[in-house]
Amino acid sequence: MEFLSALQLLKIHEVPDAWVDAVWDLEFTERKPLDDAVEEELMARGDKAFRKLYHSLLTHAAEHQQQSAATGGASQSIWAILGENRVSVKSLVAVLSFFVLTGKSKSANVQQRVSALHAASVYLLLLGIPGSIANKVFHEVLLDTCSNLTSHCWPQDSGKKRKKDVVKCSQAEGKRSKPTRKGTAEMDVVEADEEEEDEEELHFSGQDLEKIRAAVALLVQSLLRLLQTFPLRDRPQSTSSCTEIFCKLLYFEPVVGELTFAAEQDIAKLRSVPEMAFYGLQLLCSPKHGDQRESLRKVFHRLLYVILMMNKANRGRPTLLMPSQAVLSIRNQAINFICHTVTELKELALPLLHVLLQHICFQMVEKSEYRSHGARAVGMLTSQMTSTDYARFLKWLYSFSRHSKMVCRLFSVDVVMVLLEQEERKPEDCQDLELAVFLPHKFLIQSLLFARRMDESPTVQGHALASLAQCLELSALNVTRAVHNLFSTTGTSTVLVNEITEGTVSDSLGFQQTQKTYRTLPFRTVEISHSDSFICEAKENVSLLLRRVKDSKTNIRKSALQALVGLLKHNVIPVSWENLAVVSERCRDQAVSVKKKALQCMGDLLATKPDSPVVQKAWLQGVVPAVVDSENSVQDKALEALDQVLLRHVKMYSASHHLDASQRLTWELLGLLCHDCQNLSQYFSRAFTIWSKQNKFTLSFITNLISHTEADHAAGAWLLLSKVVTSSPRLPYGKILDAWDRMVSSKDVSVTTCCHIMSVIGDIAAHLNEDSKSMIIVDLMSWLKSFTLSLELISAAVETLYLLGCSEDIKQTQAFLNQHCGELVSVCEAYLASIILNEKGAENLNEDLMIKHLHTLGVASLHCPAKVGKRTVLLVESVLTTHSDKLAGCQDELPASLPLSQFKSNSLPTRVRANGVITLGKLCLQHEDLVQKYLPVFARELEVGTEVAVRNNVVVIMCDLCVRYTNIVDHYIPNISACLRDDKPIIREQTLIMLVNLLQEEFVKWKGSLFFRFMVTLVDPVPAIASLCEYCLVHLLLKKNPEMFSQHFIECIFHFNSYSNHKSYNKFPQTEHEKVRFSLKGAQNREKRFRIYRFLLENFTDTQRFNTTNKINQTILACFADEELPLDTDGAEILSETFNILSLKEMKLQAMSAPADTPAGEEPEEDNMATMAKAVLQAAQKKVVSQVQKKVFIENTVPLIISLKNLLERKHSPVLRDLTAYLQVTMQEYRTEVKEFFSGDEQLAAEVEFALKTAEKEKEMMEQMENCTLKGDPKPPPAQGSVQGSPVRSRPFLPFVFATPQPTCPNRPNQLFFTDRRASRSKSEYQVQSKSVTLEGTVMTKGAINTRAISTPKGVNINLTFNEGVSAIFSDQGTSLGGETSILHVQANRQEASHLRQWNVQSPLRQKKSSKSDI
């Protein structure tokens, strides 16, 4: 017999009985050595013997089964054969274990490993033969060893490589987890493993791996055969071990194609190891292996980590696996397996599916890729649920979305987005009417998704807003309608396909409307009357979204932009300039990522609505200025957008062919640049400067462009041509001259187009012949001397004239300019003389003609300063004054000590006088003596002048003169900066812009009172001016001088309080008028002063904060303590303000507080070791800074505080109250060290301790009032997603902690609309009720466990797991299945187990009232 011959190869009879007994005594836990000769002979024959023995056992089992089925009797059993041949079963098992333990060693070679796997396969086959237990073959340790042999025999990668394949899990207990110290035993094991790996590194060839893989497949097949025949009902440990083994085998090798999970499968036909593993899990769920529900629980628990793509060891936290293709494939197969199992077992598996979904949600990590896959898994699994179970899960998801952990709320948004892609379930399919309200997509959007818009975490807020925009792209029609209802302010609802069928029109969530009957139509708009409150709420939602676009957090601004553009694209909100300007403005955001997102959004909007003029204008206003952005990547993105939209669609023009949509958009945009958006010209020119370096403009492009100069959109063509002409290699000059001739003879050419044509002529002037130049010069001079051109054309014509006269010889060029520009100066001078010297000249004055002469004079005089005489200057001066007698005799000039407005007034209009000032400034640019003469006049005009236009132009002139005559104008900078407090906003804004330009180029320095006048502009009554000042200071000026704010901070305290008693500060010269003008003294200006202080401190570095605090101690507190400064009324105000400043949160070092970008409750994502190292460095830095700050405070500040406290007590000063408040804020971090700090003043220490305790009690009282619970179970407000719907504080949770709140169904679903107003109103109502309602219902009644979760006192962590250290998910008390689904087993923390906190059964206010009544 083949079986016996195989046994003979193993030499069972030659194995000593003593050795066999020793092996059994060791419980197969370690390898017992054999005699060297016997061991060598067994090793030589082992592999062949095991293969032969395996096949013979397999054949015998098949024959035994066939004979049993055919004859009803059994053939001779294996055990009888072994007994007849006197083969000891005990010895056979010992020999098999010898091979198994030999191959288990890490140093085993290929042959030993293969033999071990074959020996384990034989043992499992023997174990599966009936009678194995009676013949004492079964041993639990050996069974587990053989089953798990694959993990030991299959070659593993080195430890270093394994670490690379594992991603650090960012799931933590509410805070960043600290690196745990390994125990000594665990470290010893790790070190031993590393030593073994270092000593022997075995290398396996591909052929070796093939052999081991075949043996592994054989072992897994044997395990499956065992499970088919050998029940594990009474061996739960073996069941758990097999479950773990099969889940590990899922990653053994890739799976090709989809797997099938049939109930009965031929094991021999299973090809891949993962396929066998899935079948093994399926077998474990059969009734023969114990309680089927318990088996399912174990399998689902293990597959949980497969779905989460985690590696879960027996101990410790799970680690993330890299989401490779193989890992994702197994994850998908695991989901399909669970879906198949739920389909097969239905009611038995559905409750566990609900628990599995909860654990997927709760154990999800923050990383976006894992969240995306996890949400998809939840969507696939929920598709197997009935409508009732699905609604129950949504009810739990609603509570989960309000969890204190940020990642939970974040993942709930991902899950909602996946569920919205599924078909909406009908409420009538839900058996529980109270749960039906959770089924509509409207609930998901409004109660789960849109509610997160007010989340405390910026990450969650941003993700919710971005997801809201994606909702409009979904194909689910009710989703679109729900979003429309949130934001639509038109009072109508757009009803899409299949939303209305013949019947009653009503809202599924309780929006009962007038009943009408309709027939189904593909698309219709049904007019539905809405209440005014609904429209108001929609407006508030839109207003909130617009505020989020300007939020301080970068990711919120990006997501709000995406949401806003989505609403605009789908016409949910009107495409108005107000809404579009918000998006366009973000193209100039502080954050680079927001700017890029805004550019992308504007591009998407333009692509969706290319025919909208307002969208076109907004696109230009956003994209064109971005070409001068400081960030190169933003520049590149803007240039790419302009190239794609404006340049690529310039094709050859033909009157017989219509323009396509893209070409039409191009010329419409260029038309806007020529007319409505001329302010973008400089930015647009910058783009062409960059493109010219890239040789972007070919001759064919120029030819195509010139062909459009005769079309209706010629203005845009000339605009482009004026930009590209300087960088083009060759041009068809003839066509350009023909266009010039047409312009000269035509009267319909616009001013902008004429300017562009003149610019082109000027750029090609060097390539024209003399005849052409002469012809053009004659035309220009005739135009200029006719004074019919607009001011823009006059400037363009003079510039073109200059370019036509340019040559290599400078003298020749100047002679040309003296001839032609001098002629223009003479003409203008003659005209001015005719008006000014004629007594009746001003009576019939043509105002526009006068302005044109003045403008021409100013522009021409810049090119020929030699032709400007004293008479010309006096004539221009006389435009502002009246002194014709002096002009007639050319007497001495007017005294320069008086302002222009103080000379004898004339009758000329303000417009003429304003242009006269500009012309006089241009004359001064070329003559330094005129600057010396007229600067005092200009300065006096700024002080006492009454005409806004004149004073505005004077500011421009003086700033322009500062560039050329810096030393002369520097003395008058205080006069210019005084205009920052002018009565007219336009002058304040103009002054701010001009001074910032001078400061950037360093023509002006921060001297005197200039800095403090800029600070006053921060609190300008016009928000736009204040915002502009803030931007200029932070993003333009602070970068050039990082110490600017800290250097002036202390002096700000004295300056804004008009305090001049200090020996060093506030000593710069200024007039009494200026002091009053810029003073912020008094209680009425306190808010403005502190707004300035906060602004400065927010832009401090920690070093500057530290140094400023010390300097305040030395220069302010020390002066008052030493009585160098009197403690009079003004001194008391300064000291009080100083203590208030020191108490500001902005004064606190950032290193001592949480990072600004990681709010409380938000877990920072640990992407790599660099992030971990940064966190460790920050912790160390915080510790060092804390120690230094403590030392400085004790040595420097505390003595001053004690001295000041004694002084203030002697003076009975009210500032003592501010000192106490300062100490209360400062000592919060050192509350346990108060006595140590103030050891020199015990009374002060006692007062500080009392103040701290009082503040703490007040804080606890407020918290108790907020946490006071109303009577009965709280119902989830499905419409409240504002402050009440967001967690207020974050609480640390342990790993795998799992909450299953069961909120009751909302009875008022028509409150599913989210507004700040309603949220705040409901919160105030809740607080009012909480003052008068006593907590009841805290005693659990009989049967309550079946309807609600077990209540626990506040502070006890709920711990729900898959039987990990706590009770099972279901009770073993024999409760019904329906009741078990709502049972929650809880376990308090160990440290809190002995003294659980009691329930607060009464509100604090009621306790106060009762105590008063007792009195």
Side-chain angles (χ1 to χ4, degrees), residues 1-9 53 56 81-82 85 87:
M1 186 180 180
E2 187 179 1
F3 175 66
L4 293 176
S5 62
L7 286 176
Q8 292 175 0
L9 293 174
L53 187 58
S56 63
I81 297 173
L82 291 175
N85 291 276
V87 177

Side-chain angles (χ1 to χ4, degrees), residues 896-1163:
S897 58
L898 296 176
L900 303 175
S901 55
Q902 296 300 306
F903 289 130
K904 184 178 179 181
S905 61
N906 57 32
S907 57
L908 294 177
T910 300
R911 284 184 60 213
V912 175
R913 289 165 53 81
N915 280 273
V917 170
I918 293 293
T919 303
L920 185 59
K922 291 178 181 178
L923 296 177
C924 291
L925 282 173
Q926 299 291 344
H927 300 84
E928 185 175 349
D929 56 334
L930 295 180
V931 176
Q932 299 276 10
K933 173 183 177 181
Y934 286 109
L935 267 180
V937 180
F938 292 150
R940 187 66 176 160
E941 179 69 20
L942 289 178
E943 185 176 350
V944 300
T946 58
E947 295 173 316
V948 177
V950 174
R951 285 191 289 121
N952 183 77
N953 289 352
V954 168
V955 171
V956 175
I957 290 169
M958 295 185 73
C959 291
D960 283 346
L961 291 174
C962 184
V963 175
R964 185 153 189 176
Y965 306 104
T966 305
N967 294 331
I968 300 176
V969 183
D970 186 67
H971 179 67
Y972 296 94
I973 293 299
N975 302 84
I976 300 174
S977 62
C979 294
L980 292 171
R981 291 287 278 181
D982 196 274
D983 296 335
K984 301 299 180 180
I986 186 173
I987 295 181
R988 297 201 300 271
E989 183 177 6
Q990 183 75 272
T991 305
L992 175 64
I993 294 172
M994 299 299 293
L995 284 176
V996 168
N997 289 335
L998 294 175
L999 287 165
Q1000 277 188 287
E1001 301 298 329
E1002 297 186 356
F1003 292 111
V1004 172
K1005 305 292 183 181
W1006 291 110
K1007 295 190 301 184
S1009 61
L1010 182 59
F1011 178 83
F1012 308 101
R1013 295 182 178 184
F1014 264 81
M1015 292 299 103
V1016 173
T1017 311
L1018 286 171
V1019 292
D1020 193 277
V1022 179
I1025 297 177
S1027 177
L1028 176 62
C1029 180
E1030 180 178 340
Y1031 172 82
C1032 293
L1033 285 169
V1034 175
H1035 299 283
L1036 300 180
L1037 301 176
L1038 185 61
K1039 292 180 179 179
K1040 295 182 70 67
N1041 186 3
E1043 301 295 327
M1044 176 176 66
F1045 287 174
S1046 60
Q1047 288 172 350
H1048 294 86
F1049 183 81
I1050 295 179
E1051 192 156 12
C1052 283
I1053 302 174
F1054 294 102
H1055 178 76
F1056 294 134
N1057 286 279
S1058 301
Y1059 188 84
S1060 56
N1061 290 339
H1062 198 282
K1063 60 183 180 181
S1064 302
Y1065 295 111
N1066 201 23
K1067 296 298 183 181
F1068 43 82
Q1070 52 182 341
T1071 65
E1072 290 298 324
H1073 177 69
E1074 290 175 340
K1075 289 181 180 180
V1076 174
R1077 200 173 193 179
F1078 288 91
S1079 175
L1080 294 178
K1081 184 179 181 180
Q1084 69 276 13
N1085 292 316
R1086 184 181 186 278
E1087 183 181 351
K1088 293 181 179 179
R1089 294 198 303 271
F1090 275 82
R1091 202 186 312 167
I1092 295 172
Y1093 299 148
R1094 288 190 177 92
F1095 167 79
L1096 294 173
L1097 290 172
E1098 285 171 356
N1099 293 281
F1100 272 23
T1101 63
D1102 272 353
T1103 303
Q1104 291 171 343
R1105 289 187 181 91
F1106 185 81
N1107 293 334
T1108 301
T1109 303
N1110 291 334
K1111 201 170 182 180
I1112 287 176
N1113 292 336
Q1114 298 167 7
T1115 58
I1116 300 180
L1117 299 185
C1119 289
F1120 281 104
D1122 298 338
E1123 299 189 32
E1124 292 181 11
L1125 295 177
L1127 199 60
D1128 53 11
T1129 304
D1130 292 340
E1133 290 180 358
I1134 289 292
L1135 187 57
S1136 173
E1137 188 143 315
T1138 302
F1139 284 129
N1140 291 329
I1141 291 172
L1142 291 172
S1143 303
L1144 291 175
K1145 65 177 182 179
E1146 290 82 5
M1147 184 64 86
K1148 186 178 180 180
L1149 302 184
Q1150 288 185 349
M1152 299 293 295
S1153 57
D1157 55 348
T1158 306
E1162 184 163 349
E1163 300 167 9

Side-chain angles (χ1 to χ4, degrees), residues 416-442:
V416 168
M417 291 305 299
V418 172
L419 297 181
L420 288 174
E421 296 178 2
Q422 299 180 1
E423 184 178 354
E424 186 176 23
R425 304 202 185 197
K426 299 178 181 179
E428 52 267 23
D429 294 340
C430 183
Q431 298 177 359
D432 189 342
L433 296 180
E434 289 187 350
L435 294 175
V437 70
F438 295 98
L439 288 178
H441 285 340
K442 184 177 182 180

Side-chain angles (χ1 to χ4, degrees), residues 11-167:
K11 300 287 185 178
I12 301 296
H13 296 290
E14 298 180 8
V15 176
D17 293 338
W19 178 85
V20 173
D21 293 337
V23 170
W24 278 87
D25 291 340
L26 289 173
E27 298 283 343
F28 306 103
T29 56
E30 60 180 83
R31 179 176 176 269
K32 180 70 175 176
L34 263 173
D35 182 69
D36 292 342
V38 176
E39 182 177 344
E40 185 177 351
E41 188 174 358
L42 282 176
M43 285 297 177
R45 299 181 178 183
D47 188 28
K48 179 180 179 182
F50 290 137
R51 282 202 299 268
K52 191 173 182 181
L53 187 58
Y54 180 86
H55 291 295
S56 63
L57 286 174
L58 202 58
T59 304
H60 183 274
E63 293 176 353
H64 177 77
Q65 186 176 4
Q66 290 176 0
Q67 290 182 12
S68 298
T71 63
S75 62
Q76 188 178 14
S77 69
I78 290 293
W79 315 116
I81 297 173
L82 291 175
E84 291 176 358
N85 291 276
R86 297 182 180 182
V87 177
S88 172
V89 175
K90 189 175 181 180
S91 300
L92 177 59
V93 172
V95 171
L96 293 176
S97 70
F98 173 78
F99 282 92
V100 169
L101 295 175
T102 301
K104 184 181 177 182
S105 173
K106 290 185 178 181
S107 59
N109 56 31
V110 176
Q111 187 59 42
Q112 290 172 334
R113 297 184 185 217
V114 172
S115 298
L117 292 168
H118 286 163
S121 301
V122 170
Y123 175 75
L124 294 178
L125 281 184
L126 282 173
L127 195 58
I129 298 175
S132 59
I133 296 180
N135 287 276
K136 299 183 179 180
V137 176
F138 175 79
H139 193 284
E140 191 166 3
V141 174
L142 186 57
L143 173 61
D144 291 341
T145 303
C146 292
S147 302
N148 197 30
L149 193 59
T150 302
S151 61
H152 298 285
C153 291
W154 182 253
Q156 301 291 335
D157 293 333
S158 65
K160 293 181 180 179
K161 292 183 179 178
R162 282 201 303 272
K163 288 177 183 177
K164 291 180 181 179
D165 294 335
V166 175
V167 180

Side-chain angles (χ1 to χ4, degrees), residues 356-384:
L356 175 65
L357 289 169
Q358 292 181 8
H359 278 261
I360 291 175
C361 293
F362 195 78
Q363 298 192 38
M364 184 51 59
V365 296
E366 187 182 346
K367 299 179 187 299
S368 59
E369 187 174 7
Y370 291 85
R371 285 192 288 106
S372 175
H373 291 302
R376 292 290 172 190
V378 171
M380 294 174 66
L381 294 174
T382 52
S383 64
Q384 303 300 313

Side-chain angles (χ1 to χ4, degrees), residues 579-650:
N579 294 333
L580 290 171
V582 174
V583 184
S584 180
E585 183 183 352
R586 288 304 101 198
C587 294
R588 295 174 291 280
D589 195 271
Q590 302 174 9
V592 175
S593 59
V594 178
K595 288 188 279 194
K596 291 182 178 180
K597 186 66 176 180
L599 290 173
Q600 178 188 342
C601 289
M602 290 306 306
D604 295 342
L605 198 56
L606 183 66
T608 305
K609 300 181 179 297
D611 298 325
S612 172
V614 67
V615 172
Q616 295 172 0
K617 183 178 179 181
W619 184 84
L620 289 173
Q621 294 288 352
V623 175
V624 176
V627 300
V628 296
D629 194 89
S630 57
E631 181 65 31
N632 291 333
S633 59
V634 177
Q635 286 187 22
D636 296 339
K637 196 172 184 66
L639 290 169
E640 182 183 357
L642 290 172
D643 181 24
Q644 185 175 0
V645 176
L646 296 181
L647 300 185
R648 294 184 185 179
H649 301 292
V650 177

Side-chain angles (χ1 to χ4, degrees), residues 675-699:
H675 301 98
D676 296 343
C677 301
Q678 294 185 34
N679 58 318
L680 303 177
S681 177
Q682 291 184 348
Y683 306 116
F684 199 49
S685 300
R686 172 63 178 169
F688 285 89
T689 302
I690 298 173
W691 282 331
S692 63
K693 299 176 182 178
Q694 303 171 359
N695 298 323
K696 204 171 192 67
F697 309 116
T698 61
L699 182 60

